[in-house]
Amino acid sequence: MNSRQRAALKDFARAVNTLREAGVIRSHRYLGDIAEFLCAGMFGIDLATNLRQAGHDGLRGEVRAQVKYGGGKKTNVDLGNPDAYDEIYVVLGQESVVRAPAYEGDFLVYILTADEARALKTPGGSYSCGASYFEREPHRVIWIETYAN
């Protein structure tokens, strides 16, 4: 490991600790936790305190809400089991290969109902969507510099 790599790892560890202390991340799934934090503030989702709760991440009133982060090189976003939630929020980061280049912002948020997710059932029986689904306009664009909840 060279000195640049060592410094980057130290910076990352400090950033993780800072995000945890600020209540942004709650587990080792950093990007998913950040997506949940952003959606909780923006859409009024009360995140579950049980991090192992199956099927949905929290409630928006009586509505069971699931949040998924789609980023990196994955060519699709797994939508989980739509029988376990009423709506799902898909958050795409800047590095997501399924993100349409026409839209700027740090994060794009797409909202689907459980019925919309069911319509995206794959031949293998799971539920997911790829880049063509995200060519449409996002429901919300999040810019970190101006984000306020």
Side-chain angles (χ1 to χ4, degrees):
M1 177 182 319
N2 64 39
S3 62
R4 183 175 180 210
Q5 293 165 331
R6 190 174 297 109
L9 286 170
K10 285 180 180 180
D11 289 347
F12 179 75
R14 277 192 292 275
V16 166
N17 286 334
T18 300
L19 289 167
R20 184 169 285 120
E21 290 168 1
V24 175
I25 61 172
R26 308 181 309 150
S27 73
H28 65 280
R29 299 173 304 108
Y30 309 130
L31 296 174
D33 285 353
I34 291 169
E36 290 172 6
F37 172 80
L38 293 170
C39 286
M42 181 165 280
F43 299 104
I45 299 169
D46 183 23
L47 294 174
T49 55
N50 177 359
L51 299 181
R52 299 206 183 276
Q53 177 173 302
H56 64 281
D57 295 310
L59 297 173
R60 188 181 57 76
E62 298 295 318
V63 176
R64 298 171 300 163
Q66 175 72 354
V67 179
K68 292 286 188 176
Y69 180 78
K73 304 272 185 230
K74 266 187 97 173
T75 58
N76 68 334
V77 176
D78 176 8
L79 301 175
N81 179 0
D83 292 336
Y85 57 79
D86 301 310
E87 59 192 14
I88 184 167
Y89 298 74
V90 177
V91 179
L92 302 179
Q94 289 182 333
E95 73 289 349
S96 175
V97 298
V98 298
R99 181 177 164 147
Y103 301 103
E104 295 184 19
D106 295 312
F107 300 95
L108 305 180
V109 182
Y110 293 85
I111 306 169
L112 293 79
T113 65
D115 286 338
E116 289 172 316
R118 283 185 196 94
L120 297 169
K121 189 171 187 176
T122 68
S126 63
Y127 302 90
S128 69
C129 52
S132 63
Y133 187 84
F134 301 109
E135 290 174 358
R136 65 189 176 101
E137 186 173 345
H139 290 88
R140 292 284 172 88
V141 175
I142 298 173
W143 295 91
I144 295 298
E145 280 297 317
T146 58
Y147 178 83
N149 59 355

